[in-house]
Amino acid sequence: MGSQSEVMHCYEQIAPLTERMLILARAKQWGELPQLEGQYSSMVERLKDIEPLSSLDEAQSARKYVLLSRISANSTEIFNMVMPQLAKLVGVMKSLEQQRSLHKAYGQPDDAYLP
């Protein structure tokens, strides 16, 4: 069973984690985001397990609300920056697949155009 302090500890870890992710997204350092996202997901999964087993006092509930507001704002901004990048990546992948299909159709070996 999770303790109140463990629940709050998770929220206290998630908020700055999303802030670091936001800083990386703003700097377009996309390669560093997956590791932090993995940590974020682990903390969220832990919360799903322990939070229903705990109750928070009034001060903790107020602090949780503040943290959730920060987490939500950060997550929204991150999402808005990452989604266009994912769309670009999908477009590039489709283009590469079309090129590969054309080269294959006209007798070019698959590895002729790999970097």
Side-chain angles (χ1 to χ4, degrees):
M1 185 155 139
S3 69
Q4 292 177 359
S5 62
E6 187 178 3
V7 168
M8 291 309 299
H9 175 75
C10 286
Y11 283 109
E12 295 284 353
Q13 296 298 310
I14 292 171
L17 187 59
T18 61
E19 289 167 4
R20 286 194 303 270
M21 291 169 68
L22 181 55
I23 289 167
L24 290 172
R26 286 177 177 158
K28 298 184 182 341
Q29 295 179 342
W30 310 118
E32 297 181 43
L33 283 173
Q35 178 186 0
L36 294 179
E37 197 283 328
Q39 293 174 19
Y40 172 88
S41 294
S42 294
M43 295 297 292
V44 168
E45 288 302 313
R46 180 69 184 137
L47 266 176
K48 287 179 185 178
D49 290 340
I50 63 173
E51 193 165 27
L53 306 174
S54 301
S55 62
L56 302 175
D57 63 31
E58 192 173 320
Q60 289 170 324
S61 291
R63 178 68 180 147
K64 175 184 163 182
Y65 177 78
V66 168
L67 292 169
L68 279 173
S69 295
R70 281 176 39 199
I71 292 165
S72 178
N74 292 339
S75 296
T76 298
E77 192 170 343
I78 293 164
F79 178 84
N80 289 336
M81 284 187 248
V82 168
M83 290 312 292
Q85 294 302 314
L86 288 175
K88 277 185 188 179
L89 180 60
V90 168
V92 168
M93 291 173 70
K94 284 182 181 179
S95 176
L96 289 172
E97 184 59 36
Q98 288 173 343
Q99 287 177 3
R100 177 171 275 179
S101 294
L102 286 172
H103 294 301
K104 192 173 188 176
Y106 292 101
Q108 295 289 333
D110 285 340
D111 60 354
Y113 294 93
L114 294 177

